[in-house]
Amino acid sequence: MNLDEFVNLCGKTVGKTIVFKDKDNESEVRLETNGEEFYKVKFDELNVDEFKFRDESRSEQAERCDFVVFLKDGGKVVLFIEIKGSDLQKAWSQILNSMELLKNVFQEYKNYKKYATVVFSGNPLKTKIQSLQKKFSDKQIPNFVKRDNITLKYKEGEIKAG
């Protein structure tokens, strides 16, 4: 299966403004698409054989982020979204696992511009937030980390805070 087949199989095509919510949390992420269409994949609930690899350091299946969003029609943009309480280390791990998983399954994924978003409802220390942002920056992953809600905007191949 290539990446296009995957998003056609698992993704829901959405346009205009996409809202991402987790059933256990009131925080949300909004993506204003500037008229472009995206595929929205509920990645942590995905039940596709290629995504059942196990984390070698643990006995359970590697945890994945809540959502992965791809620009439709060959756009090389992917956004990883995790909605959390306050465990930012776990959010980092889930997004990293998801990125690694896609890299291992889809050859063309390596050419995609990757973004990470973590929205949290708890009260982690400011140093924990800064540490998470630094981890993403050290891997050259543009990131958005914010309490409660965030609006992102897509325009001309880039995702930015709104």
Side-chain angles (χ1 to χ4, degrees), residues 103-157:
K103 183 178 94 177
N104 291 337
V105 174
F106 303 115
Q107 174 100 18
E108 66 267 38
Y109 166 76
K110 67 183 175 189
N111 299 321
Y112 277 58
K113 175 85 176 189
K114 297 152 192 79
Y115 295 86
T117 301
V118 176
V119 175
F120 56 92
S121 59
N123 291 307
L125 297 172
K126 186 173 185 176
T127 55
K128 298 269 186 193
I129 297 168
Q130 292 168 337
S131 173
L132 178 63
Q133 290 170 318
K134 183 174 179 348
K135 286 179 181 181
F136 284 124
S137 295
D138 287 349
K139 289 197 168 278
Q140 299 179 333
I141 301 167
N143 63 87
F144 312 96
V145 180
K146 192 164 184 260
R147 186 169 198 277
D148 293 329
N149 302 304
I150 189 167
T151 298
L152 304 174
K153 294 183 179 187
Y154 173 81
K155 187 174 182 183
E156 299 173 358

Side-chain angles (χ1 to χ4, degrees), residues 1 39 160:
M1 173 184 326
Y39 287 109
K160 299 187 185 258

Side-chain angles (χ1 to χ4, degrees), residues 4-74:
D4 288 332
E5 291 170 335
F6 164 73
V7 293
N8 281 317
L9 174 70
C10 305
K12 176 183 176 187
T13 306
V14 287
K16 294 191 180 178
T17 300
I18 310 168
V19 178
F20 304 90
K21 294 184 104 163
D22 188 68
K23 62 182 178 260
D24 299 327
N25 193 313
E26 292 189 23
S27 298
E28 71 176 29
V29 176
R30 299 176 75 79
L31 175 61
E32 295 177 5
T33 66
N34 196 34
E36 297 288 339
E37 287 189 312
F38 283 78
Y39 287 109
K40 175 181 178 179
V41 179
K42 184 75 169 109
F43 203 57
D44 64 346
E45 294 178 359
L46 199 57
N47 192 17
V48 174
D49 287 341
E50 284 92 339
F51 297 102
K52 292 186 178 179
F53 80 96
R54 297 190 177 270
D55 181 336
E56 294 174 10
S57 67
R58 302 179 302 186
S59 60
E60 72 271 10
Q61 185 169 326
E63 293 181 318
R64 299 172 293 209
C65 64
D66 292 322
F67 298 95
V68 178
V69 186
F70 299 91
L71 181 59
K72 189 177 175 185
D73 296 330

